[in-house]
DNA sequence: CAGTGAGCGAGCTTCCGCTTGACTT
């Protein structure tokens, strides 16, 4: 039995640290938080100064039991959880559960897993910081209050009430997406004309050249642009002035969770959850440092490793020592930046994680490399027939520096109008140029783009909302709650005008471009918009973009002992709870109704609104003698934007496509999407089949094909008993009615030989001994 | 699996942050 027990949060860390500390120390992990607020009654005794009621969750019982045993048999327990607020609280919970005295138990911290850092930590233990623990408790309790008081309000006040939720983080994330969507919907695009002149001539060495110059600003109308081109008729063009300016580019800081998610999204097209899954693998295999971090800091040992790698691979002049600082105030910096553990490993064997690893490797090494040096040349070109001038510019890379390995990408949001500049040929002042042609092209202003998962993470981080460990889960939650969905949008065709001056003649033409196409973007659903409007109206304090920043300031005061945590919570709770009660009492049930007009055929009103099963169109009302008619909106349509014509289109379903093998084929949209009904059976339509336009000759083969696929899946059918033996992705299984039953291992190889008695026996057996429930009792709802 | 759409009101849902496995019918 070791004399010392060290407890850390992550098991991968435990292994590494144990090696460093040697045989006197046993290092174990507690796998994050070991206690949480009880779920009943919110787990908070509000009357009793918000006293929290903590319990050990079922899935943590095992690890707690083990730690208890180890703690009892050891001389000294060292609490080595992360240095941030949550880590301090985990240490305190460990004291409570393991019966350790918080006043005397040794608390150690390190920000990097290196031998000197860990040895230094062991030599300088401190005591638990209760102020910091209390800041965490305040954070936890406030989040529980917000989530568990507002969510039930939604269940009462929304017309669709299946597992709706609200929270300090998720509700604001949805709000961002809803507001962006509305900005886009109300955006009116204005067009301007941009002039570009194409020149040919000879450079100072007599070599033939051609290059492009930009016109003087933008013209608001086609008339203004044309007037300018007219003023250029017959003009001579001379280089008036050449300016050369040096410039430089610097590398980006090493990765944090948020920037890794952004770059993996832009460069590799990964979703944030995919990035985190792969990063976790790399971490567990010892290839990278911890992947949930908000710090851009690199350990001293890492910095010298990187320096060595740069000097050997690229030479001394490519190295530049840099120390990055966090811009983000909310950062808690419990870990290092995300970097390779060993710089000499330039890649990994695993093909899944290779791209992500190489991205991390490049970003890390680039962060300690020299600036790239540029030379920017601007030539002003005089027009003899008017007072305007043209300007041509080019950029030449003088020294590549860090660009040798890595260049950060940007979202289209950050994109400037100017494209990547090429180089400009060497010109001389007073040199005359030949104009090949001059074009004025119509360009349209664009609204801000919809968020991607990664750009939403970026925005949340800027607002200080959420933590590295929650960015990916938050994005999953708001999609799972059906507030937001990720999808593509097709662009629409738009005409634009071009005026061309060539050989002193002006011609006009129209061209077409595709605009507004988006890939993998976050769109709010009608539900998301309605819930957001409701929350904004009744809980504007919590929905404020600055709310988290404000309370974080107060948590900091608690952490520094300037404020008492219950006081802070109480000050928040009084007005908040009044809002809850006021809403419950006074808010109407929300339907999200939007009148569209009157039905030409019946004279009845048409509304778009939210029904129990989603957005729909309703003609007439329930008070009418005749029942109202209903139609479900398509998944790409929205209550806010649907037009009368589009709404009427929806009433064209169900469609009878005609007969196939003597039965009607009827197409409709059901709970699980578009389907065809034929001979009492149902067949899902393929994605590309539009139920409004699809024809019999497309659907009939689908029915035939799916029928054989179903036959192949069937091993045996006992018609009378309604028992089927089927082949599933995990092997054969038995199905009776809607329920599935697992075939015992010893019989699985001969599933085809099972008799009806065998099957019945298995079913009875499974019923008598139901399979163990999954560890987290969180049931998955049918989507 | 493939209806529905109002109201009544069983019995259910829900938060954020810290960590990984379990394991499919």
């Amino acid at each position: 039995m070791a004399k010392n027990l060290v407890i850390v949060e992550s098991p991968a860390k435990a292994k590494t640290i144990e090696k460093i500390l040697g045989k006197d120390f046993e290092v174990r992990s507690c796998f994050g938080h070991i206690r949480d607020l009880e779920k009943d009654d919110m787990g908070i005794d509000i009357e009793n100064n918000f006293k929290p009621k903590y319990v050990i969750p079922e899935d943590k019982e095992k690890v707690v039991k083990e730690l208890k045993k180890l703690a009892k048999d050891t001389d000294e327990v060292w609490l080595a959880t992360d240095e941030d607020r949550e880590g301090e609280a985990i240490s305190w919970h460990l004291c409570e559960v393991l019966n350790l005295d918080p006043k005397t138990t040794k608390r150690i911290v390190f920000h990097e897993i290196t031998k000197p850092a860990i040895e230094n930590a062991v030599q300088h233990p401190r005591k638990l910081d209760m102020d910091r623990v209390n800041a965490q408790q305040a954070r936890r309790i406030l989040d529980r209050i917000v989530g568990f008081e507002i969510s039930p309000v939604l269940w009462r006040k929304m017309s669709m009430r299946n597992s709706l939720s609200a929270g300090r983080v998720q509700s604001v994330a949805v709000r961002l997406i809803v507001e962006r969507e509305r900005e886009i919907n109300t955006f009116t695009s204005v067009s301007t004309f941009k002039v570009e002149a194409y020149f040919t001539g000879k450079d100072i060495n007599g070599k033939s050249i051609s290059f492009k110059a930009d016109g003087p600003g933008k013209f608001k109308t086609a008339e203004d642009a044309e007037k300018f081109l007219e003023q250029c008729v017959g003009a001579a063009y001379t280089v008036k002035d050449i300016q050369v300016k040096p410039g430089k580019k610097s590398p980006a800081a090493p990765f944090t969770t948020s920037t890794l998610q952004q770059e993996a999204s832009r460069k590799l097209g990964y979703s944030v959850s995919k990035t985190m899954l792969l990063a976790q693998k790399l971490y567990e295999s010892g290839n990278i440092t911890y992947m949930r971090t908000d710090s851009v800091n690199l350990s001293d040992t890492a910095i010298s490793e990187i320096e060595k790698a740069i000097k050997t691979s690229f030479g001394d002049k490519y190295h530049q020592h840099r120390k990055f600082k966090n811009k983000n105030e909310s950062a808690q910096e419990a870990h290092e930046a995300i970097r390779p553990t060993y710089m000499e490993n330039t890649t990994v064997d695993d093909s899944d994680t290779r791209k992500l690893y190489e991205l991390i490797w490049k970003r890390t090494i680039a962060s300690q490399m020299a600036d790239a040096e540029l030379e920017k040349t601007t030539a002003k070109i005089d027009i003899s027939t008017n007072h305007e001038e043209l300007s041509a510019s080019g950029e030449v890379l003088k020294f590549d520096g860090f660009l040798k390995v890595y260049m950060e990408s940007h979202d289209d949001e950050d994109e400037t109008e100017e494209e990547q500049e090429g180089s400009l040929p060497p010109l001389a002042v007073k040199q005359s140029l030949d104009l090949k042609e001059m074009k004025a092209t119509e360009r349209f202003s664009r609204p801000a783009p919809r968020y991607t998962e990664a750009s939403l993470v970026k925005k949340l981080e800027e607002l200080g909302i959420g933590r590295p460990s929650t960015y990916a889960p938050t994005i999953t939650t708001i999609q799972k709650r059906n507030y937001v969905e990720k999808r593509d949008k097709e662009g629409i065709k738009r005409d634009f005008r071009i005026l061309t001056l060539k050989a002193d003649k002006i011609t006009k033409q129209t061209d077409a471009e595709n605009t507004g196409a988006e890939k993998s973007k976050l769109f709010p659903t009608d539900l998301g918009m309605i819930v957001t409007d409701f929350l904004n109206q009744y809980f504007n304090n919590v929905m404020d973009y600055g709310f988290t920043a404000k309370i974080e300031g107060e948590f900091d005061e608690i952490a520094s002992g300037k404020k008492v945590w219950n006081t802070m919570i109480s000050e928040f709770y009084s007005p908040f709870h009044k809002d809850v009660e006021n809403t419950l009492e006074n808010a109407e049930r929300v339907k999200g109704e939007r009148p569209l007009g009157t039905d030409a055929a019946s004279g009845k009103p048409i509304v778009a609104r939210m029904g129990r099963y989603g957005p729909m169109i309703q003609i007439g009302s329930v008070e009418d003698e005749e029942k109202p008619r209903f139609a479900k909106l398509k998944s790409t349509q929205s209550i806010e934007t649907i037009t009368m014509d589009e709404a009427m289109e929806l009433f064209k379903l169900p469609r009878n496509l005609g007969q196939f093998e003597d039965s009607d084929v009827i197409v409709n949209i059901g709970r699980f999407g578009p389907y065809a009904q034929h001979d009492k059976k149902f067949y899902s339509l393929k994605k590309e089949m539009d139920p409004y336009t699809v024809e019999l000759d497309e659907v009939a083969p689908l029915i035939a094909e799916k029928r054989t696929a179903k036959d192949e899946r069937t091993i045996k059918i006992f018609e009378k008993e309604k028992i089927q033996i089927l082949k599933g992705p995990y092997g054969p299984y038995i199905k009776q009615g809607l329920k599935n039953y697992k075939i015992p291992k010893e019989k699985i190889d001969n599933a085809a030989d099972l008799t009806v008695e065998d099957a019945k026996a298995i079913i009875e057996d499974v019923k008598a001994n139901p399979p163990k429930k999954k560890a987290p009792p969180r049931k998955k709802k049918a989507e």
Side-chain angles (χ1 to χ4, degrees):
Chain A
M1 188 59 57
K3 286 182 217 140
N4 298 282
L5 172 66
V6 180
I7 303 176
V8 297
E9 292 180 42
S10 154
K13 233 187 241 179
K15 263 193 257 165
T16 321
I17 295 169
E18 195 159 57
K19 270 185 223 148
I20 294 173
L21 285 175
K23 65 172 170 27
D24 285 344
F25 290 82
E26 182 158 10
V27 187
R28 288 304 182 103
S29 109
C30 66
F31 296 85
H33 276 294
I34 52 153
R35 294 205 302 180
D36 192 16
L37 295 172
E38 195 179 65
K39 292 228 168 170
D40 308 330
D41 284 334
M42 294 213 303
I44 304 164
D45 189 350
I46 289 165
E47 306 297 310
N48 197 359
N49 221 351
F50 303 94
K51 190 167 186 269
K53 285 178 253 178
Y54 291 111
V55 291
I56 299 167
E58 215 180 314
D59 57 331
K60 288 290 164 64
E61 275 169 11
K62 203 179 143 202
V63 65
V64 168
K65 209 173 134 189
E66 278 176 25
L67 289 175
K68 268 186 181 168
K69 191 167 174 290
L70 286 164
K72 220 174 71 185
D73 298 339
T74 197
D75 296 341
E76 182 102 64
V77 177
W78 302 68
L79 301 170
T81 54
D82 298 345
E83 168 138 63
D84 54 17
R85 201 162 63 201
E86 298 295 326
E88 201 69 19
I90 291 171
S91 275
W92 174 71
H93 283 296
L94 283 166
C95 285
E96 294 278 297
V97 169
L98 304 180
N99 286 320
L100 306 170
D101 184 353
K103 292 197 177 66
T104 56
T105 305
K106 286 184 169 146
R107 169 85 172 106
I108 53 171
V109 294
F110 27 78
H111 301 134
E112 45 183 79
I113 314 294
T114 55
K115 201 174 159 95
I118 288 165
E119 282 172 352
N120 182 50
V122 170
Q123 276 152 31
H124 301 97
R126 60 170 172 85
K127 300 288 169 282
L128 207 63
D129 182 349
M130 272 319 283
D131 287 332
R132 197 182 276 206
V133 172
N134 287 335
Q136 191 277 346
Q137 297 203 84
R139 197 280 305 154
R140 178 68 193 93
I141 288 166
L142 185 135
D143 281 338
R144 170 55 71 81
I145 290 173
V146 169
F148 275 39
E149 290 213 1
I150 300 185
S151 297
V153 174
L154 293 179
W155 306 340
R156 290 269 298 275
K157 296 298 180 182
M158 294 289 134
S159 52
M160 44 292 157
R161 323 157 256 186
N162 40 355
S163 63
L164 295 178
S165 67
R168 173 177 60 82
V169 173
Q170 60 167 281
S171 297
V172 177
V174 177
R175 180 183 172 186
L176 284 165
I177 294 163
V178 168
E179 281 180 358
R180 178 60 56 88
E181 189 70 18
R182 290 189 173 142
E183 269 172 47
I184 293 168
N185 287 342
T186 56
F187 185 82
T188 39
S189 175
V190 281
S191 78
T192 50
F193 286 78
K194 191 183 169 200
V195 173
E196 285 176 339
Y198 297 86
F199 289 104
T200 54
K202 299 254 191 296
D203 71 4
I204 45 175
N205 306 316
K207 216 174 107 192
S208 290
I209 51 160
S210 64
F211 67 96
K212 190 188 86 180
D214 293 324
K218 291 169 184 168
F219 296 99
K220 279 189 180 147
T221 63
E223 289 70 35
D224 290 352
E226 190 175 355
K227 215 154 105 194
F228 173 72
L229 292 188
E230 275 166 7
Q231 286 168 2
C232 292
V233 170
Y237 302 90
T238 343
V239 176
K240 194 166 127 193
D241 173 47
I242 296 172
Q243 273 195 2
V244 181
K245 274 188 198 158
K248 65 169 189 176
K249 281 197 174 99
S250 301
F255 279 133
T256 61
T257 303
S258 142
T259 53
L260 176 68
Q261 289 171 348
Q262 289 161 42
E263 276 290 83
S265 164
R266 292 184 288 234
K267 284 201 155 84
L268 309 173
Y270 291 172
S271 69
V272 297
S273 52
K274 180 170 183 178
T275 298
M276 292 314 284
L277 195 82
L278 297 175
Q280 176 90 29
K281 275 191 180 178
L282 286 167
Y283 168 66
E284 282 171 12
S285 57
N287 284 300
I288 61 167
T289 55
Y290 198 57
M291 66 282 156
R292 288 185 279 263
T293 176
D294 51 20
S295 171
V296 289
N297 191 50
L298 297 169
S299 74
D300 293 339
T301 36
I303 286 180
S304 63
E305 284 274 311
I306 297 165
E307 178 177 349
K308 232 187 317 176
I310 294 168
K311 287 182 174 168
T312 8
S313 305
F314 310 111
D316 287 11
K317 65 173 179 172
Y318 277 92
H319 175 257
Q320 184 176 329
H321 177 87
R322 296 172 196 272
K323 200 96 183 148
F324 290 92
K325 269 222 169 108
N326 242 314
K327 284 184 209 144
N328 206 319
E329 278 181 26
S330 65
Q332 301 190 21
E333 312 207 41
H335 308 92
E336 271 189 80
I338 304 170
R339 63 162 173 90
T341 336
Y342 308 104
M343 286 312 289
E344 59 267 35
N345 297 346
T346 55
T347 186
V348 290
D349 289 339
D350 185 311
S351 62
D352 261 9
T353 52
R354 185 176 302 141
K355 280 187 193 159
L356 192 70
Y357 180 81
E358 287 174 2
L359 190 69
I360 295 168
W361 190 89
K362 284 179 186 168
R363 174 91 163 208
T364 307
I365 200 152
S367 76
Q368 294 294 319
M369 286 175 77
D371 288 342
E373 285 161 30
L374 308 161
E375 197 178 84
K376 193 171 176 168
T377 309
T378 309
K380 295 263 186 317
I381 297 158
D382 187 59
I383 308 169
S384 65
T385 52
N386 59 44
H387 297 298
E388 302 289 354
E389 57 181 27
L390 302 166
S391 89
S393 57
E395 219 172 58
V396 181
L397 194 62
K398 289 303 210 186
F399 173 61
D400 52 1
F402 76 96
L403 289 178
K404 205 173 188 75
V405 289
Y406 187 88
M407 178 69 199
E408 189 178 29
S409 305
H410 294 279
D411 296 326
D412 15 345
E413 202 168 354
D414 310 329
E415 211 174 293
T416 50
E417 281 256 322
E418 278 151 55
E419 302 133 50
Q420 275 282 328
E421 297 205 60
S423 60
L424 198 63
L427 300 166
V429 177
K430 290 188 183 161
Q431 171 178 358
S432 68
L433 299 160
D434 299 324
L435 181 75
K436 203 172 127 209
E437 61 177 7
M438 197 186 287
K439 280 186 172 178
T441 312
E442 186 173 24
R443 284 284 165 241
F444 296 86
S445 60
R446 288 180 303 178
R450 290 184 177 82
Y451 287 104
T452 62
E453 288 189 354
S455 68
L456 181 64
V457 168
K458 183 181 178 188
K459 184 71 191 178
L460 288 172
E461 190 189 34
E462 281 167 10
L463 294 168
I465 299 173
R467 304 277 315 132
S469 69
T470 60
Y471 295 137
T474 299
I475 281 170
T476 309
T477 301
I478 61 177
Q479 292 180 70
K480 216 160 84 188
R481 296 260 173 277
N482 196 24
Y483 292 147
V484 165
E485 56 193 19
K486 188 164 77 170
R487 62 163 197 262
D488 302 342
K489 186 175 184 255
E490 274 179 45
I492 47 166
K493 238 174 112 180
R494 177 169 61 190
D495 289 341
F496 65 97
R497 292 169 283 178
I498 310 165
L499 309 173
T500 310
L501 170 69
K502 195 172 181 179
D504 286 342
K505 280 208 179 67
I506 295 171
T507 53
K508 297 176 191 176
Q509 70 182 100
T510 307
D511 210 339
E513 63 182 350
N514 211 25
T515 181
E518 304 221 65
K519 260 199 124 56
S520 270
K521 292 296 181 74
L522 298 173
F523 290 75
T525 62
D526 284 304
L527 180 64
M529 297 204 211
I530 291 168
V531 168
T532 300
D533 287 342
F534 180 84
L535 295 175
N536 276 341
Q537 186 181 347
Y538 293 100
F539 299 100
N540 61 333
N541 182 31
V542 174
M543 291 297 280
D544 193 294
Y545 291 129
F547 176 71
T548 292
K550 188 184 136 236
I551 58 166
E552 279 292 338
E554 299 183 46
F555 295 149
D556 287 346
E557 286 182 45
I558 296 170
S560 57
K562 288 182 207 139
K563 199 158 192 164
V564 180
W565 75 265
N566 332 55
T567 314
M568 184 248 153
I569 294 292
S570 174
E571 282 164 9
F572 164 76
Y573 188 75
S574 316
F576 171 78
H577 189 68
K578 251 185 219 131
D579 285 347
V580 172
E581 290 194 324
N582 166 52
T583 312
L584 283 173
E585 203 173 315
N586 298 319
E588 298 258 343
R589 173 157 260 175
V590 181
K591 285 183 183 166
E593 238 176 47
R594 177 173 158 246
L596 290 180
T598 315
D599 177 26
S602 64
K604 287 179 181 173
I606 303 177
V607 292
R609 72 174 181 90
M610 194 53 121
R612 259 214 291 170
Y613 307 100
M616 62 173 188
I617 305 292
Q618 180 176 343
I619 306 181
S621 89
V622 281
E623 283 102 53
D624 298 349
E625 253 176 65
E626 227 180 322
K627 268 189 128 185
R629 295 171 64 203
F630 300 104
K632 218 172 153 170
L633 258 63
K634 289 192 214 177
S635 64
T636 51
Q637 291 174 328
S638 147
I639 293 175
E640 258 174 57
T641 54
I642 194 166
T643 63
M644 180 77 157
D645 289 346
E646 286 163 351
M648 295 315 288
E649 261 307 292
L650 298 171
F651 286 92
K652 290 186 176 163
L653 287 183
R655 287 170 63 222
N656 191 336
L657 304 187
Q659 296 226 315
F660 170 60
E661 291 176 1
D662 301 331
S663 316
D664 282 336
V665 175
I666 291 158
V667 167
N668 202 353
I669 299 177
R671 171 132 157 57
F672 305 99
Y675 67 94
Q677 193 176 9
H678 176 251
D679 192 22
K680 293 179 191 159
K681 291 194 187 75
F682 297 92
Y683 304 89
S684 291
L685 292 185
K686 285 192 181 161
K687 248 194 194 150
E688 63 273 17
M689 293 183 181
D690 179 355
Y692 292 90
T693 55
V694 75
E695 293 298 338
L696 186 61
D697 59 348
E698 293 170 85
V699 179
L702 179 85
I703 292 173
E705 185 193 322
K706 290 222 173 162
R707 211 166 37 189
T708 40
K710 213 172 173 182
D711 287 345
E712 277 167 19
R713 256 200 348 258
T714 313
I715 299 173
K716 225 174 196 178
I717 297 181
F718 304 112
E719 197 80 54
K720 214 168 66 194
E721 292 83 0
K722 287 188 178 157
I723 295 175
Q724 292 173 294
I725 302 176
L726 301 172
K727 212 183 285 173
Y730 311 108
Y733 66 99
I734 297 175
K735 181 177 183 138
Q736 184 182 38
L738 297 179
K739 281 196 175 151
N740 298 325
Y741 301 90
K742 191 176 173 174
I743 300 174
K745 269 193 195 120
E746 58 275 17
K747 290 183 188 156
I748 208 128
D749 290 333
N750 310 317
D753 302 335
L754 291 174
T755 63
V756 80
E757 281 73 29
D758 292 338
K760 274 184 183 168
I762 291 171
I763 291 172
E764 288 312 312
D765 220 43
V766 175
K767 276 184 182 165
N769 306 300
K772 269 184 279 172
K773 276 189 182 158
K774 280 186 193 171
R778 192 175 293 178
K779 265 185 246 157
K780 220 182 160 185
K781 273 256 165 187
E783 304 285 321

